[in-house]
Amino acid sequence: MDLKQLIDTDRLPQHIAIIMDGNGRWAKQHGQPRVFGHHNGVKSVRETTEAAAEIGIKYLTLYAFSTENWGRPKYEVDALMTLLVDTLHKEIATLNKNNIRLQAIGDLSKLPSSTYRALLDGIANTSTNTRMTLVLALNYSAKWEILEATRQMAALVKDGKLELDQIDEATFANALSTRGIPDPELLIRTSGENRLSNFLLWQLAYAEFHFTPTMWPDFRKDHLFQAIIDFQNRERRFGKISEQVL
């Protein structure tokens, strides 16, 4: 069955977020070190990104590295950072070919200098692309992001540049690292885990969740299409009753 044909392109989510989980366990199942799983996950990133752009998704955010991931073994962290640099260098041509813009969120300045430079180069080299925006969450923590936004607004209030009664949801959202990006309507998490792991806690308040047992290195476009079909078969009420959203 061609799952793509089952998707209603008039009811696509504007923004899909993915927690790419299961690389290490996938590698273990194949009798390989964890880094082997991360390398094989790159193919999933490429195929998922191209498939999302192909059907008309406007924003795709991938949770690539959390602040908690620094606690992993040093060899794995170093390998991840090297892989990120290599992937950015190799995939920029593919992003440009597909008219995809690269952006990033997180505490980016804390990344290794080579990773940070490669990321900035990729963002600059794809900045004029308009088909889809690919957002990488790197050294990202939703709690960090919310605290940073709170500190920014507190400083503005202290300096007399913002009144307390001016702080509303829109003001707060504009202080987040995702300013200018619509909130995700669909969150996908791979590998059978059913938690958010400190990812986009504010932005996912009304997202639909799709959890799949598929490990990230095995995730392909049909898995993405199935998640979108699942999303389109749900009733999104936003606190209302069914009769009010018909």
Side-chain angles (χ1 to χ4, degrees), residues 237-242 244-245:
R237 297 190 298 274
F238 300 97
K240 299 178 181 178
I241 63 174
S242 296
Q244 290 176 298
V245 296

Side-chain angles (χ1 to χ4, degrees), residues 91-100 125-129:
E91 297 298 326
I92 294 306
T94 302
L95 292 177
N96 282 327
K97 176 184 175 183
N98 287 283
N99 195 18
I100 297 171
N125 290 334
T126 62
S127 62
T128 59
N129 294 338

Side-chain angles (χ1 to χ4, degrees), residues 4-18:
K4 182 181 174 183
Q5 299 302 316
L6 300 178
I7 294 173
D8 182 352
T9 55
D10 291 328
R11 296 193 301 116
L12 288 171
Q14 246 196 122
H15 185 176
I16 296 175
I18 303 180

Side-chain angles (χ1 to χ4, degrees), residues 48-241:
T48 301
T49 300
E50 291 183 338
E54 177 187 327
I55 63 171
I57 302 301
K58 294 302 180 185
Y59 295 88
L60 177 66
T61 296
L62 303 179
Y63 201 7
F65 194 86
S66 74
T67 54
E68 290 83 3
N69 288 154
W70 294 112
R72 292 187 176 188
K74 186 177 184 302
Y75 77 88
E76 182 177 351
V77 173
D78 290 345
L80 276 168
M81 291 299 148
T82 300
L83 176 62
L84 180 59
V85 172
D86 291 344
T87 302
L88 284 167
H89 288 320
K90 292 176 182 177
E91 297 298 326
I92 294 306
T94 302
L95 292 177
N96 282 327
K97 176 184 175 183
N98 287 283
N99 195 18
I100 297 171
R101 178 177 59 159
L102 179 66
Q103 288 190 343
I105 58 174
D107 193 0
L108 305 178
S109 64
K110 300 290 178 60
L111 294 170
S113 58
S114 59
T115 306
Y116 186 54
R117 287 195 303 271
L119 182 62
L120 293 185
D121 286 345
I123 291 172
N125 290 334
T126 62
S127 62
T128 59
N129 294 338
T130 57
R131 187 183 188 188
M132 188 181 81
T133 298
L134 173 64
V135 183
L136 298 182
L138 290 163
N139 194 27
Y140 177 85
S141 154
K143 290 184 177 180
W144 163 84
E145 179 184 37
I146 290 169
L147 285 172
E148 283 298 301
T150 303
R151 291 188 185 105
Q152 288 177 35
M153 289 188 294
L156 291 173
V157 170
K158 181 181 178 182
D159 294 340
K161 297 177 181 177
L162 181 68
E163 298 294 331
L164 281 175
D165 58 9
Q166 292 178 309
I167 300 175
D168 55 17
E169 287 190 16
T171 305
F172 193 85
N174 196 51
L176 297 172
S177 57
T178 52
R179 68 185 66 85
I181 298 174
D183 291 342
E185 294 107 311
L186 172 61
L187 169 77
I188 301 169
R189 181 166 186 153
T190 60
S191 87
E193 301 292 350
N194 301 325
R195 57 181 180 271
L196 289 180
S197 296
N198 199 10
F199 183 49
L200 298 177
L201 298 180
W202 173 278
Q203 298 89 338
L204 291 172
Y206 265 107
E208 298 292 328
F209 293 175
H210 177 89
F211 298 113
T212 173
T214 303
M215 301 288 185
W216 180 248
D218 289 329
F219 195 87
R220 294 293 179 266
K221 63 180 180 180
D222 275 353
H223 295 101
L224 175 69
F225 295 159
Q226 184 58 62
I228 294 171
I229 292 167
D230 180 31
F231 167 84
Q232 292 185 336
N233 285 328
R234 299 185 190 181
E235 182 182 74
R236 308 191 74 218
R237 297 190 298 274
F238 300 97
K240 299 178 181 178
I241 63 174

